[in-house]
Amino acid sequence: MSMRAVHYTITACLLVLAWSAPGLTMGSKNPADMISVTGVIRVKGNAPFTRVVLIPQGEDPDRVTKDKVYLVTGDLATELMQRDQNRTVTLLGTLCTSPSPEYQKCITPTGIQRSTR
């Protein structure tokens, strides 16, 4: 095999990998995979290690254990931290793998429904 053929083969493999990689890392967009969770937004930790969490409805925010709390990730986490601390919201989104070993549950919200109370 000539050097030129090797170069083209490697380039083609890299292009295929580059095009397919984003699909592997993005969450599912299937509406059947979406979940809805209602609870209170809290911010845990200190900068630069702050975490936005959702404490599910029915749990005591001051006594809940971390295995019942959802870590909130993605673009809407910052908005929730700035606007909705200590408020009840319903998050529509997909479950994700928690980037923090502290939290077992994780949600990446695609929508926020704020309580009218």
Side-chain angles (χ1 to χ4, degrees), residues 5-74:
V6 171
H7 176 72
Y8 285 131
T9 303
I10 291 172
T11 303
C13 289
L14 289 174
L15 287 173
V16 168
L17 181 62
W19 285 326
S20 64
L24 296 174
T25 59
M26 297 178 106
S28 172
K29 301 298 183 201
N30 183 352
D33 296 335
M34 302 293 269
I35 66 161
S36 174
V37 183
T38 301
V40 177
I41 294 294
R42 290 281 174 100
V43 177
K44 301 290 186 179
N46 298 311
F49 303 108
T50 54
R51 304 273 190 205
V52 179
V53 298
L54 179 101
I55 300 170
Q57 195 169 24
E59 297 291 339
D60 181 351
D62 297 321
R63 295 190 177 150
V64 69
T65 57
K66 288 184 180 178
D67 63 323
K68 296 180 182 178
V69 173
Y70 286 87
L71 178 65
V72 181
T73 63

Side-chain angles (χ1 to χ4, degrees), residues 76-105:
L76 293 178
T78 303
E79 180 180 340
L80 288 163
M81 180 170 53
Q82 293 171 348
R83 292 186 57 189
D84 297 302
Q85 285 188 52
N86 300 315
R87 290 188 181 161
T88 300
V89 298
T90 299
L91 299 181
L92 175 66
T94 56
L95 292 177
C96 56
T97 302
S98 178
S100 169
E102 257 182 295
Y103 299 97
Q104 296 172 7
K105 296 180 179 182

